[in-house]
Amino acid sequence: MERFAFILHPLRQSDFTRKYPILKAVPFRWVEEAFKHVPPRVLSHITGIESRTGAQAEGWFIAVPMTPRVLLEMPFEKVLPRIVRAGRLAESLGAQIIGLGAFLKVVGDRGISVARALNTPVTTGNSYTAGSALQGALLAAARMGIRAEDARATVIGATGAIGSVCARILAKHVAQITLVARNRERLEALQEQIARSAPAEVQVCTDSRHAVRDADIVIAVSSSTEVLVEPDDLRPGAVVCDVARPRNVSAAVYEKRNDVLVIDGGVIRVPGERVDFGFNFGFPPKHAEACIAETIILALERRYECFTLGADISVEQVEEITRLAHKHGFEVAGFRRFERAIPDEEVEQIRRNAGRAAAVEPPKVFAL
C-alpha cells in the first residue's frame, strides 16, 4: 500500500461553513483572522484508491486553515513554517509523497523551500493540472464545432507555471494565441520563446477582459484572487476552461450566457470502486482536482520524487504525467462547471444557442 498526503487550505467562506455551519453567522473577515492562528490538522483519511495495474494507495488531506487573502498578505517567512508543519504532520502519518494545493503552491518559491525543509518529496501537481486543462479545453472545443487548427486562443496568467506550459503546448494546436499577464516584459519573453517553436501567431496583452473578446478558446490560470472575465467579455460559442482557484471567470457568465461553454479545469475521476476522500470539498464521489490526482499517480507509480516544483514546468513533464495517468486509470471527468456535471444535451443546446447568437451579432474587430 502506497501512502501520500495532500496539503490544502480553504478558498472561500463555504469551505469553513461546510465543516462548521455555525460560522455562517460570523463575518468572514473575522473567521479568516481567527483561523489563521489555528495549527494544521488532519482533515480526512483517503481510502479505496486502486490503479488498473492493481497498485493501491491511501492518503490524508491535511488542512492549513488560511485563506488566499491571508496567504498572499502574510510574509512568506511566516507562511512557510505553517506549511512545513503540515508537511511534518504528513510525514508522521507515513506519507511517502506530499502534494501542495491551491495558493500553498503559489506563495514563495512554489514549493521549493517546503521541499528543502522536509524529508519527503513534494509536488505541486501543476504538471497534471496543465495537461488535464488542455485535454478538457480541446475536447470541449471539438464538441462546440471549433477546429483547433483555425482557432484563436487566449491564456490568462500565461507567465505563471501552469499558464506558460499550457501556452507552449496550445500554440502547437491553434492558429493564433494571445498571452495575458500583468508583466509585459515577461510576456514578451514568452512570446519570443513560443514564436520560435510553434506555428501559431503569438500576441500579448495585459488586459484580460480585452484579450478574451475575440477568442474561441480561453484557458484561465491566473493566481489573481479577483474575477477577470465577465459575461459581456466573451464571443458566442467560446469555450472557457477555468483552472484557477479562486476562479478567474465570474459565475455570472454561466448565469447570463447560454451561448458560451464554461468548464472547470483539472477535474479528474480517480480509479477504484470504493474511493472515499473522507471529506466533501464540493466534487462528486471519486472526483478530485488534477493537482491531487498528480500526487496520487506518483504514489501509485512509486515515483517518490519532487516531480513538479518551482516556476517552470516542461512540456516533457506534462506529457509524462499524462501518460502515467492513463496507465493507472485516471480520466478527465467529462465536462463540469462549478462542481456540477454538464450533460451532453446541455452542451448541444449551448452549441445551438451560439450558432443563433453568431448569426444575428455583427462581427467585431478588437485591436490589441
Side-chain angles (χ1 to χ4, degrees):
M1 178 75 71
E2 312 307 317
R3 292 178 173 84
F4 67 92
F6 191 83
I7 305 174
L8 42 67
H9 69 92
L11 294 172
R12 57 189 74 84
Q13 186 169 11
S14 60
D15 292 335
F16 289 100
T17 57
R18 267 201 303 271
K19 186 71 173 177
Y20 308 105
I22 195 172
L23 294 177
K24 291 180 180 178
V26 180
F28 185 42
R29 196 65 175 244
W30 294 6
V31 174
E32 286 184 295
E33 289 299 317
F35 271 83
K36 77 180 184 182
H37 302 292
V38 175
R41 59 183 293 265
V42 176
L43 199 59
S44 69
H45 183 207
I46 305 164
T47 59
I49 297 171
E50 184 170 1
S51 162
R52 61 165 53 131
T53 68
Q56 297 179 336
E58 68 172 340
W60 296 268
F61 281 134
I62 296 176
V64 175
M66 303 169 75
T67 63
R69 181 189 66 81
V70 171
L71 286 167
L72 293 175
E73 291 180 359
M74 185 178 289
F76 180 59
E77 58 268 22
K78 293 186 177 181
V79 172
L80 178 61
R82 312 287 182 92
I83 306 174
V84 171
R85 185 173 178 180
R88 288 179 178 148
L89 176 56
E91 290 178 332
S92 73
L93 294 167
Q96 296 156 290
I97 189 165
I98 297 170
L100 300 178
F103 280 73
L104 298 175
K105 60 187 178 185
V106 173
V107 293
D109 51 13
R110 293 170 171 82
I112 293 174
S113 292
V114 177
R116 286 175 179 163
L118 297 173
N119 297 316
T120 303
V122 173
T123 188
T124 63
N126 281 343
S127 294
Y128 194 41
T129 297
S132 60
L134 290 168
Q135 283 182 300
L138 291 172
L139 180 60
R143 288 289 306 277
M144 289 291 288
I146 299 169
R147 286 168 48 90
E149 58 268 32
D150 299 327
R152 295 160 295 188
T154 293
V155 178
I156 300 174
T159 57
I162 300 173
S164 173
V165 74
C166 280
R168 281 177 277 153
I169 295 174
L170 191 57
K172 299 178 181 180
H173 298 276
V174 299
Q176 177 185 307
I177 188 166
T178 299
L179 313 175
V180 184
R182 286 172 290 189
N183 187 309
R184 193 169 192 94
E185 184 176 344
R186 292 179 62 193
L187 277 174
E188 290 174 350
L190 180 61
Q191 177 187 32
E192 184 178 345
Q193 178 187 0
I194 292 175
R196 290 197 303 263
S197 59
E201 176 188 345
V202 187
Q203 300 180 351
V204 299
C205 184
T206 56
D207 183 342
S208 56
R209 296 186 66 179
H210 185 86
V212 302
R213 290 175 181 167
D214 207 28
D216 303 299
I217 302 169
V218 177
I219 295 183
V221 290
S222 170
S223 59
S224 171
T225 59
E226 304 295 325
V227 167
L228 301 178
V229 179
E230 297 286 358
D232 293 341
D233 299 335
L234 298 162
R235 63 180 297 275
V239 167
V240 184
C241 181
D242 192 354
V243 186
R245 297 294 182 273
R247 298 176 188 279
N248 289 164
V249 180
S250 169
V253 174
Y254 162 60
E255 296 163 0
K256 297 181 179 181
R257 293 295 302 271
N258 66 1
D259 58 351
V260 170
L261 179 56
V262 181
I263 64 174
D264 293 338
V267 181
I268 306 299
R269 183 181 296 110
V270 177
E273 291 298 319
R274 298 182 177 84
V275 175
D276 183 2
F277 290 110
F279 176 72
N280 175 18
F281 51 92
F283 289 167
K286 303 182 183 181
H287 291 72
E289 299 273 11
C291 52
I292 298 171
E294 177 174 311
T295 309
I296 302 171
I297 292 165
L298 293 170
L300 290 169
E301 186 67 11
R302 298 184 178 179
R303 290 277 293 269
Y304 296 125
E305 61 187 70
C306 295
F307 189 83
T308 312
L309 282 182
D312 295 321
I313 304 172
S314 70
V315 171
E316 291 73 23
Q317 281 174 289
V318 174
E319 292 173 344
E320 174 72 358
I321 198 67
T322 302
R323 181 188 68 79
L324 293 176
H326 178 73
K327 171 184 174 179
H328 290 284
F330 290 75
E331 300 174 346
V332 175
F335 302 137
R336 306 190 59 75
R337 176 174 50 223
F338 299 101
E339 284 75 61
R340 181 186 70 83
I342 307 176
D344 288 344
E345 54 269 25
E346 184 174 340
V347 176
E348 179 59 24
Q349 184 59 55
I350 292 171
R351 190 185 67 79
R352 289 197 294 267
N353 292 341
R356 286 193 288 268
V360 299
E361 183 177 284
K364 299 177 182 179
V365 177
F366 298 96
L368 292 178

